[in-house]
Amino acid sequence: MNSVKQSQPQQAPIIVMPMLAGLAYALIWLAAGALLLSLLLHLTDMKESELGTYAMIVHGCSSLAGGFTCGKRSYRRGWYNGALLGVLYGIIVIIVSFLAVNASISFHSILMLGVVLLAGTLGGMVGVNMSR
């Protein structure tokens, strides 16, 4: 008796695990960037007024790294997954800043959302193309 293997339909990759991995990488990069900024602030003559610009760069790099990881692990739709990760990362940062410092939504937070959205999208596109 011949056994015929029936092919299973290809399932779409589950988005939760790549998103969690990307978010974890983004938060690790955020912690490293915050540590680096605090060391630069302590050890150099950098002024606290310059901190906002550097914090925006750290958020962009964190979202780029998270989007790259998310795109690489999802294998397709890197721009979509990276953008989703960027928005999720931005919302988490805004919620934490609201809860920690009682900061309200301002132009700076909207600008940060735009930066992390674009950086996450770019990271996702590069990540999905590096996985091939």
Side-chain angles (χ1 to χ4, degrees):
M1 184 156 119
N2 274 341
S3 64
V4 177
K5 289 186 179 181
Q6 294 181 353
S7 64
Q8 296 292 330
Q10 290 286 340
Q11 293 180 348
I14 299 173
I15 188 65
V16 174
M17 294 312 287
M19 192 66 60
L20 287 177
L23 197 56
Y25 272 84
L27 293 177
I28 289 170
W29 276 80
L30 176 64
L35 181 65
L36 179 70
L37 279 180
S38 64
L39 285 174
L40 283 174
L41 193 62
H42 180 69
L43 298 175
T44 64
D45 57 350
M46 187 171 91
K47 296 182 173 111
E48 287 184 18
S49 60
E50 302 168 357
L51 206 53
T53 305
Y54 292 119
M56 194 69 68
I57 292 170
V58 167
H59 285 305
C61 291
S62 299
S63 181
L64 184 74
F68 178 82
T69 303
C70 183
K72 190 169 183 178
R73 291 180 182 217
S74 66
Y75 300 112
R76 61 185 179 145
R77 283 192 244 149
W79 65 271
Y80 175 75
N81 293 326
L84 192 61
L85 179 114
V87 168
L88 185 64
Y89 172 82
I91 289 172
I92 288 172
V93 168
I94 287 174
I95 289 172
V96 167
S97 67
F98 174 74
L99 292 175
V101 196
N102 202 15
S104 63
I105 294 180
S106 64
F107 176 72
H108 186 267
S109 57
I110 300 297
L111 181 65
M112 189 263 310
L113 267 176
V115 167
V116 298
L117 173 76
L118 291 175
T121 303
L122 180 66
M125 287 189 296
V126 172
V128 79
N129 287 318
M130 294 294 283
S131 65
R132 293 180 184 181

